[in-house]
Amino acid sequence: MDADINFYFDPVCPFSWMTSKWVRQVQKQRDYTVDWRFISLRLINAQVGYDAHFPPEYEAGHTTGLRLLRVAARARAEHGREVIAPLYAAFGAHIFDTAPNPADKRTEVEMRKFCGTREFAEPILAEAGLPLGLAEALDDASWDLEIQQETDEALSLTGKDVGTPIIHFEPPAGFAFFGPVISRLPRDDAAAELWDHVVGLARFAGFAELKRSLREPPQLAAFGVDADTDGKQEH
């Protein structure tokens, strides 16, 4: 598929989800085509000891991400690349844009594991207009080779010491970058302006990194914080 943007995502990464929503804003304004591709945090960290390097919920979350990517890989193989945009949108809406139910007493680890089950995936497949049988891929590790290849492809564009998402602009010869990591959506009238600033930096071959570690939590309902695009928080 020839696209203006290749966007590599892991469905359990909140920052990837936030950035993807911003890219969709820009896509509508600039009429970009986007190829939604795969990058697995679980495969990136395959050789890392989770107990030593991450909080306890990370392994469960990253494993769920891989399981959902297996479903996406099978959906793409059987129904075409165009189904990934609505499928990822449905994954993200249910994982991140749905507020926690106060009556749900499951732990965070249990909730992250639940998102990798057929009970979670099948209604989302139905919402995306896809067969429920695709959920059988959750446990089918034969898709991992394809996901690994796409993960390696993404990291070859930026170097390995990054996370998700990775955006490749004007592929195959264009430039790529990790992020940008944003915690809230810009207003619609500012979305394309922000895009132009990011692309302007990334287009310069000598640019490597711009970072600050002080950041607000993602303004997403799943984290108990929602915000409009002006940044007014609602708890």
Side-chain angles (χ1 to χ4, degrees):
M1 174 181 177
D2 293 327
D4 299 305
I5 300 165
N6 290 341
F7 188 105
Y8 297 84
F9 71 92
D10 187 308
V12 300
C13 175
F15 291 106
S16 182
W17 173 240
M18 186 68 80
T19 302
S20 78
K21 295 205 291 185
W22 167 58
V23 167
R24 291 176 196 263
Q25 286 179 295
V26 176
Q27 184 181 11
K28 291 178 181 177
Q29 297 180 38
R30 297 289 176 84
D31 198 29
Y32 288 142
T33 55
V34 180
D35 187 20
W36 302 92
R37 300 191 176 198
F38 310 144
I39 180 171
S40 168
L41 291 167
R42 188 64 183 85
L43 295 179
I44 288 174
N45 294 296
Q47 307 304 319
V48 174
Y50 272 85
D51 290 343
H53 291 86
F54 294 108
E57 67 273 12
Y58 271 53
E59 184 171 14
H62 290 180
T63 300
T64 284
L66 176 58
R67 290 169 63 81
L68 295 178
L69 285 175
R70 291 170 180 168
V71 174
R74 179 175 172 185
R76 185 173 68 182
E78 296 183 4
H79 300 278
R81 306 186 79 87
E82 64 275 7
V83 305
I84 301 303
L87 181 58
Y88 180 30
F91 281 150
H94 285 269
I95 295 172
F96 297 116
D97 291 341
T98 302
N101 181 355
D104 192 334
K105 302 304 181 183
R106 284 176 291 190
T107 67
E108 186 170 356
V109 171
E110 290 170 338
M111 281 300 302
R112 295 194 183 204
K113 288 182 177 179
F114 170 72
C115 292
T117 65
R118 293 188 68 145
E119 184 181 353
F120 176 82
E122 286 181 349
I124 291 175
L125 288 165
E127 183 178 317
L130 292 166
L132 303 190
L134 293 173
E136 295 172 2
L138 288 164
D139 298 305
D140 187 353
S142 68
W143 295 103
D144 292 2
L145 177 60
E146 180 177 339
I147 297 166
Q148 182 70 68
Q149 290 172 339
E150 214 144 286
T151 297
D152 292 342
E153 175 184 287
L155 296 178
S156 73
L157 298 168
T158 60
K160 293 184 177 182
D161 193 18
V162 296
T164 62
I166 289 175
I167 299 177
H168 189 189
F169 191 76
E170 298 171 356
F175 52 93
F177 48 83
F178 156 58
V181 174
I182 57 174
S183 59
R184 65 178 67 181
L185 286 179
R187 300 184 310 272
D188 282 341
D189 61 353
E193 179 183 9
L194 176 60
W195 177 260
D196 290 337
H197 292 320
V198 170
V199 168
L201 278 173
R203 200 183 288 275
F204 173 55
F207 174 72
E209 184 175 11
L210 182 68
K211 182 177 181 179
R212 58 184 171 195
S213 58
L214 295 174
R215 65 176 69 161
E216 65 185 5
Q219 307 294 285
L220 295 167
F223 293 91
V225 180
D226 203 0
D228 62 24
T229 52
D230 290 316
K232 299 175 183 176
Q233 297 183 9
E234 300 175 357
H235 296 267

